[in-house]
Amino acid sequence: MGTARPRLEDGHRPLDRPRGRTSRLNWSPQLNAAPADQIRLLDLQALDVRLQQLAHKKKSLPEHAEIESLNKDLTQLRDLLVAATTEESDCAREQTKAEQDVDQVRQRAVRDQQRLDSGAVTSPKDLENLQREIASLAKRQGDLEDVVLEVMERRESAQERVTELTGRVASVQSKIDDATARRDAAFEELDGETATVGKEREVVAGSVPADLLKLYDKLREKEGGVGAAKLYQRRCEGCRLELNITEVNEVKAASPDTVLRCENCRRILVRTSESGL
Protein backbone atom coordinates (compact mmCIF):
# COMPACT_ATOMS: atom_id res chain seq x y z
CA MET A 1 0.00 0.00 0.00
CA GLY A 2 1.40 3.43 -0.97
CA THR A 3 2.26 6.12 1.53
CA ALA A 4 -0.74 8.35 2.28
CA ARG A 5 -0.43 11.99 1.08
CA PRO A 6 -0.51 14.66 3.78
CA ARG A 7 -3.89 16.30 4.17
CA LEU A 8 -3.98 19.69 2.42
CA GLU A 9 -5.54 22.82 3.83
CA ASP A 10 -8.29 24.42 1.72
CA GLY A 11 -6.99 26.47 -1.21
CA HIS A 12 -3.48 24.99 -1.24
CA ARG A 13 -1.46 22.45 -3.14
CA PRO A 14 2.00 21.25 -2.07
CA LEU A 15 5.10 23.05 -3.29
CA ASP A 16 6.91 21.80 -6.33
CA ARG A 17 9.18 19.51 -4.37
CA PRO A 18 12.88 19.26 -5.16
CA ARG A 19 12.56 15.51 -5.62
CA GLY A 20 10.98 14.26 -8.86
CA ARG A 21 7.34 13.22 -8.95
CA THR A 22 4.68 12.40 -11.49
CA SER A 23 1.80 14.79 -12.03
CA ARG A 24 -0.92 15.52 -14.54
CA LEU A 25 0.87 18.87 -14.95
CA ASN A 26 3.80 19.14 -17.30
CA TRP A 27 6.40 20.12 -14.70
CA SER A 28 9.88 21.33 -15.56
CA PRO A 29 12.96 19.53 -14.24
CA GLN A 30 14.19 20.87 -10.90
CA LEU A 31 16.68 23.70 -11.21
CA ASN A 32 19.35 24.93 -8.84
CA ALA A 33 20.60 28.50 -8.67
CA ALA A 34 22.43 30.62 -6.15
CA PRO A 35 20.10 32.52 -3.80
CA ALA A 36 21.47 35.82 -5.13
CA ASP A 37 20.56 34.78 -8.66
CA GLN A 38 17.06 33.86 -7.54
CA ILE A 39 16.65 37.21 -5.80
CA ARG A 40 17.71 38.95 -9.02
CA LEU A 41 14.59 37.45 -10.55
CA LEU A 42 12.57 39.77 -8.29
CA ASP A 43 14.49 42.74 -9.67
CA LEU A 44 13.89 41.44 -13.17
CA GLN A 45 10.22 40.90 -12.41
CA ALA A 46 9.87 44.46 -11.10
CA LEU A 47 11.40 45.79 -14.32
CA ASP A 48 9.10 43.62 -16.43
CA VAL A 49 6.08 44.83 -14.47
CA ARG A 50 7.22 48.41 -15.06
CA LEU A 51 7.55 47.72 -18.78
CA GLN A 52 4.04 46.29 -18.78
CA GLN A 53 2.74 49.34 -16.95
CA LEU A 54 4.41 51.68 -19.42
CA ALA A 55 2.98 49.76 -22.38
CA HIS A 56 -0.49 49.81 -20.81
CA LYS A 57 -0.20 53.51 -20.04
CA LYS A 58 0.83 54.24 -23.61
CA LYS A 59 -2.08 52.21 -24.95
CA SER A 60 -4.63 53.75 -22.59
CA LEU A 61 -3.68 57.42 -22.80
CA PRO A 62 -6.84 59.58 -22.60
CA GLU A 63 -5.76 61.32 -25.78
CA HIS A 64 -6.54 58.14 -27.75
CA ALA A 65 -10.25 58.32 -26.90
CA GLU A 66 -10.24 62.08 -27.29
CA ILE A 67 -8.72 61.92 -30.77
CA GLU A 68 -11.05 59.11 -31.80
CA SER A 69 -14.11 61.08 -30.66
CA LEU A 70 -12.89 64.26 -32.33
CA ASN A 71 -12.19 62.41 -35.57
CA LYS A 72 -15.76 61.11 -35.58
CA ASP A 73 -17.02 64.65 -35.08
CA LEU A 74 -14.70 65.87 -37.83
CA THR A 75 -15.96 63.21 -40.25
CA GLN A 76 -19.57 64.20 -39.59
CA LEU A 77 -18.79 67.91 -39.96
CA ARG A 78 -16.92 67.33 -43.19
CA ASP A 79 -19.87 65.36 -44.57
CA LEU A 80 -22.18 68.23 -43.62
CA LEU A 81 -19.74 70.71 -45.17
CA VAL A 82 -19.67 68.75 -48.41
CA ALA A 83 -23.47 68.71 -48.47
CA ALA A 84 -23.65 72.45 -47.76
CA THR A 85 -20.99 73.21 -50.38
CA THR A 86 -22.86 71.07 -52.90
CA GLU A 87 -26.11 72.88 -52.08
CA GLU A 88 -24.41 76.26 -52.48
CA SER A 89 -22.96 75.16 -55.82
CA ASP A 90 -26.36 73.89 -56.99
CA CYS A 91 -27.97 77.16 -55.94
CA ALA A 92 -25.30 79.12 -57.83
CA ARG A 93 -26.05 77.21 -61.03
CA GLU A 94 -29.79 77.58 -60.46
CA GLN A 95 -29.37 81.31 -59.87
CA THR A 96 -27.33 81.70 -63.05
CA LYS A 97 -29.99 79.83 -65.03
CA ALA A 98 -32.81 81.91 -63.51
CA GLU A 99 -30.95 85.17 -64.19
CA GLN A 100 -30.38 84.08 -67.80
CA ASP A 101 -34.11 83.38 -68.12
CA VAL A 102 -34.89 86.83 -66.74
CA ASP A 103 -32.42 88.43 -69.14
CA GLN A 104 -33.92 86.59 -72.12
CA VAL A 105 -37.44 87.71 -71.19
CA ARG A 106 -36.22 91.26 -70.59
CA GLN A 107 -34.47 91.42 -73.96
CA ARG A 108 -37.56 90.11 -75.71
CA ALA A 109 -39.73 92.66 -73.92
CA VAL A 110 -37.33 95.44 -74.95
CA ARG A 111 -37.52 94.37 -78.58
CA ASP A 112 -41.32 94.23 -78.46
CA GLN A 113 -41.47 97.63 -76.84
CA GLN A 114 -39.16 99.05 -79.50
CA ARG A 115 -41.40 97.63 -82.21
CA LEU A 116 -44.41 99.15 -80.50
CA ASP A 117 -42.74 102.52 -80.12
CA SER A 118 -41.40 102.55 -83.68
CA GLY A 119 -44.87 102.66 -85.24
CA ALA A 120 -43.95 99.87 -87.60
CA VAL A 121 -46.92 97.86 -86.41
CA THR A 122 -50.08 99.48 -87.70
CA SER A 123 -52.60 96.69 -87.63
CA PRO A 124 -54.91 97.06 -84.63
CA LYS A 125 -54.91 93.31 -84.14
CA ASP A 126 -51.13 93.13 -84.33
CA LEU A 127 -50.84 96.05 -81.95
CA GLU A 128 -53.21 94.35 -79.52
CA ASN A 129 -51.23 91.10 -79.71
CA LEU A 130 -47.96 92.94 -79.24
CA GLN A 131 -49.25 94.82 -76.22
CA ARG A 132 -50.61 91.58 -74.75
CA GLU A 133 -47.25 89.89 -75.28
CA ILE A 134 -45.43 92.80 -73.62
CA ALA A 135 -47.75 92.51 -70.63
CA SER A 136 -47.25 88.73 -70.52
CA LEU A 137 -43.49 89.17 -70.70
CA ALA A 138 -43.61 91.67 -67.87
CA LYS A 139 -45.50 89.17 -65.71
CA ARG A 140 -43.12 86.40 -66.73
CA GLN A 141 -40.15 88.62 -65.90
CA GLY A 142 -41.62 89.38 -62.50
CA ASP A 143 -42.18 85.69 -61.78
CA LEU A 144 -38.64 84.82 -62.86
CA GLU A 145 -37.19 87.64 -60.75
CA ASP A 146 -39.07 86.18 -57.75
CA VAL A 147 -37.45 82.85 -58.56
CA VAL A 148 -34.05 84.54 -58.66
CA LEU A 149 -34.67 86.16 -55.28
CA GLU A 150 -35.80 82.83 -53.78
CA VAL A 151 -32.72 81.05 -55.15
CA MET A 152 -30.46 83.87 -53.92
CA GLU A 153 -31.92 83.49 -50.42
CA ARG A 154 -31.29 79.74 -50.46
CA ARG A 155 -27.80 80.29 -51.77
CA GLU A 156 -27.07 82.87 -49.09
CA SER A 157 -28.32 80.44 -46.43
CA ALA A 158 -26.10 77.71 -47.89
CA GLN A 159 -23.13 80.08 -47.93
CA GLU A 160 -23.71 80.92 -44.28
CA ARG A 161 -23.91 77.21 -43.54
CA VAL A 162 -20.65 76.63 -45.43
CA THR A 163 -18.97 79.42 -43.47
CA GLU A 164 -20.25 78.05 -40.16
CA LEU A 165 -19.23 74.47 -40.91
CA THR A 166 -15.83 75.57 -42.23
CA GLY A 167 -15.21 77.28 -38.89
CA ARG A 168 -16.37 74.25 -36.93
CA VAL A 169 -14.18 71.95 -39.01
CA ALA A 170 -11.19 74.20 -38.38
CA SER A 171 -11.98 74.29 -34.65
CA VAL A 172 -12.24 70.50 -34.35
CA GLN A 173 -9.12 70.02 -36.45
CA SER A 174 -7.30 72.39 -34.09
CA LYS A 175 -8.44 70.30 -31.13
CA ILE A 176 -7.25 67.14 -32.89
CA ASP A 177 -3.88 68.73 -33.56
CA ASP A 178 -3.61 69.75 -29.90
CA ALA A 179 -4.60 66.28 -28.63
CA THR A 180 -2.21 64.67 -31.11
CA ALA A 181 0.63 66.90 -29.92
CA ARG A 182 -0.13 65.97 -26.30
CA ARG A 183 -0.29 62.28 -27.21
CA ASP A 184 3.00 62.43 -29.11
CA ALA A 185 4.66 64.24 -26.19
CA ALA A 186 3.41 61.53 -23.84
CA PHE A 187 4.65 58.88 -26.29
CA GLU A 188 8.09 60.46 -26.32
CA GLU A 189 8.25 60.50 -22.53
CA LEU A 190 6.97 56.94 -22.17
CA ASP A 191 9.21 55.64 -24.95
CA GLY A 192 12.19 57.27 -23.25
CA GLU A 193 11.39 55.64 -19.94
CA THR A 194 10.70 52.32 -21.67
CA ALA A 195 14.10 52.46 -23.35
CA THR A 196 15.79 53.20 -20.01
CA VAL A 197 13.98 50.37 -18.22
CA GLY A 198 14.64 48.07 -21.15
CA LYS A 199 18.38 48.68 -20.96
CA GLU A 200 18.31 48.09 -17.22
CA ARG A 201 16.43 44.86 -17.81
CA GLU A 202 19.08 43.71 -20.27
CA VAL A 203 21.74 44.23 -17.61
CA VAL A 204 19.82 42.36 -14.92
CA ALA A 205 18.77 39.56 -17.29
CA GLY A 206 22.39 39.17 -18.35
CA SER A 207 23.35 38.42 -14.76
CA VAL A 208 20.79 35.61 -14.37
CA PRO A 209 21.83 32.06 -15.30
CA ALA A 210 20.50 31.09 -18.72
CA ASP A 211 18.43 28.08 -17.57
CA LEU A 212 16.83 30.07 -14.76
CA LEU A 213 16.11 33.00 -17.09
CA LYS A 214 14.59 30.65 -19.66
CA LEU A 215 12.23 29.19 -17.05
CA TYR A 216 11.34 32.64 -15.75
CA ASP A 217 10.54 33.98 -19.23
CA LYS A 218 8.46 30.92 -20.03
CA LEU A 219 6.43 31.26 -16.85
CA ARG A 220 6.10 35.01 -17.26
CA GLU A 221 4.60 34.57 -20.71
CA LYS A 222 2.26 31.84 -19.46
CA GLU A 223 1.23 33.42 -16.17
CA GLY A 224 0.12 36.88 -17.20
CA GLY A 225 3.47 38.62 -17.09
CA VAL A 226 4.58 37.34 -13.68
CA GLY A 227 7.16 34.55 -13.69
CA ALA A 228 8.66 34.94 -10.23
CA ALA A 229 7.09 35.91 -6.92
CA LYS A 230 8.48 36.67 -3.48
CA LEU A 231 7.64 34.40 -0.57
CA TYR A 232 6.63 37.05 1.95
CA GLN A 233 5.53 36.08 5.46
CA ARG A 234 4.77 32.55 4.25
CA ARG A 235 2.53 33.94 1.47
CA CYS A 236 3.20 33.66 -2.25
CA GLU A 237 2.92 37.14 -3.65
CA GLY A 238 2.08 35.69 -7.05
CA CYS A 239 -1.23 34.07 -6.11
CA ARG A 240 -1.61 35.69 -2.64
CA LEU A 241 -2.14 32.31 -0.97
CA GLU A 242 -0.46 31.45 2.32
CA LEU A 243 1.53 28.23 2.52
CA ASN A 244 0.22 25.58 4.86
CA ILE A 245 2.41 24.04 7.51
CA THR A 246 3.44 21.13 5.28
CA GLU A 247 4.56 23.49 2.54
CA VAL A 248 6.40 25.71 5.00
CA ASN A 249 8.32 22.69 6.29
CA GLU A 250 9.21 21.68 2.73
CA VAL A 251 10.56 25.17 2.05
CA LYS A 252 12.59 25.07 5.25
CA ALA A 253 14.01 21.68 4.31
CA ALA A 254 14.91 22.73 0.77
CA SER A 255 18.46 23.72 -0.04
CA PRO A 256 18.98 27.49 -0.52
CA ASP A 257 20.08 26.70 -4.09
CA THR A 258 16.87 24.86 -4.90
CA VAL A 259 14.57 26.80 -7.24
CA LEU A 260 11.14 26.36 -5.72
CA ARG A 261 7.83 26.62 -7.55
CA CYS A 262 4.51 27.59 -5.98
CA GLU A 263 2.18 24.63 -6.40
CA ASN A 264 -0.83 26.91 -6.71
CA CYS A 265 0.27 29.43 -9.35
CA ARG A 266 3.37 27.52 -10.64
CA ARG A 267 5.56 30.63 -10.49
CA ILE A 268 9.11 30.58 -9.22
CA LEU A 269 8.94 31.17 -5.47
CA VAL A 270 11.82 33.32 -4.29
CA ARG A 271 12.90 33.17 -0.66
CA THR A 272 14.20 36.28 1.10
CA SER A 273 14.83 37.40 4.66
CA GLU A 274 11.17 38.42 4.77
CA SER A 275 9.81 34.97 3.96
CA GLY A 276 8.86 34.33 7.60
CA LEU A 277 10.48 30.93 7.76
Side-chain angles (χ1 to χ4, degrees):
M1 182 179 297
T3 304
R5 283 183 74 173
R7 183 177 177 276
L8 303 181
E9 297 181 9
D10 293 340
H12 292 275
R13 295 184 300 169
L15 287 173
D16 187 0
R17 296 175 174 80
R19 60 182 180 275
R21 55 174 290 181
T22 303
S23 167
R24 62 186 179 86
L25 298 177
N26 187 16
W27 290 355
S28 305
Q30 183 62 50
L31 293 177
N32 291 314
D37 290 333
Q38 296 185 44
I39 290 177
R40 283 194 191 92
L41 287 182
L42 298 180
D43 297 331
L44 189 60
Q45 181 65 74
L47 292 171
D48 283 330
V49 168
R50 184 54 184 159
L51 288 172
Q52 286 180 313
Q53 292 171 339
L54 290 169
H56 176 74
K57 186 174 182 179
K58 184 176 180 179
K59 185 178 180 180
S60 59
L61 285 172
E63 284 78 10
H64 292 311
E66 182 180 357
I67 292 172
E68 182 179 0
S69 176
L70 287 171
N71 275 321
K72 288 180 180 178
D73 292 342
L74 184 62
T75 298
Q76 293 177 349
L77 287 172
R78 282 176 171 168
D79 289 343
L80 293 174
L81 179 57
V82 169
T85 302
T86 301
E87 182 181 359
E88 193 279 330
S89 180
D90 291 343
C91 287
R93 286 193 295 270
E94 189 176 349
Q95 179 181 338
T96 299
K97 177 64 170 58
E99 289 174 343
Q100 290 174 345
D101 292 343
V102 169
D103 189 56
Q104 289 177 354
V105 170
R106 182 186 297 112
Q107 291 178 8
R108 183 173 178 182
V110 169
R111 290 195 299 270
D112 287 350
Q113 187 64 47
Q114 289 175 344
R115 287 183 61 201
L116 182 64
D117 295 341
S118 69
V121 180
T122 57
S123 169
K125 184 176 182 180
D126 290 343
L127 286 172
E128 182 181 355
N129 289 339
L130 187 57
Q131 289 172 343
R132 186 181 298 113
E133 182 175 348
I134 291 174
S136 176
L137 289 172
K139 183 178 184 305
R140 174 63 175 162
Q141 181 177 333
D143 291 342
L144 289 173
E145 287 175 344
D146 288 342
V147 170
V148 171
L149 290 174
E150 186 271 332
V151 173
M152 288 177 65
E153 289 176 357
R154 285 194 285 114
R155 184 182 181 186
E156 182 178 355
S157 177
Q159 288 173 333
E160 291 176 353
R161 181 69 170 157
V162 168
T163 300
E164 175 202 356
L165 288 170
T166 299
R168 292 173 63 184
V169 165
S171 176
V172 173
Q173 183 62 61
S174 177
K175 292 178 181 178
I176 291 175
D177 293 342
D178 176 70
T180 301
R182 285 186 278 113
R183 181 203 62 188
D184 291 347
F187 275 4
E188 184 176 357
E189 181 179 351
L190 291 171
D191 288 344
E193 185 175 354
T194 298
T196 299
V197 175
K199 290 178 181 178
E200 188 176 350
R201 185 194 190 278
E202 290 179 4
V203 173
V204 175
S207 66
V208 177
D211 53 355
L212 182 60
L213 181 62
K214 181 179 180 180
L215 176 61
Y216 164 78
D217 284 334
K218 179 180 178 180
L219 293 173
R220 182 169 61 88
E221 181 178 355
K222 182 180 178 181
E223 301 297 339
V226 179
K230 180 192 293 187
L231 177 60
Y232 180 75
Q233 297 300 315
R234 302 187 178 187
R235 182 186 301 273
C236 171
E237 290 199 331
C239 58
R240 302 296 179 180
L241 289 180
E242 186 174 348
L243 276 62
N244 60 35
I245 187 62
T246 301
E247 295 168 334
V248 170
N249 289 334
E250 289 176 352
V251 172
K252 289 180 178 180
S255 167
D257 289 344
T258 300
V259 177
L260 300 179
R261 299 272 296 278
C262 175
E263 267 299 317
N264 184 69
C265 67
R266 304 299 298 136
R267 298 179 175 97
I268 297 172
L269 198 60
V270 179
R271 290 164 285 179
T272 71
S273 59
E274 300 176 313
S275 293
L277 301 175

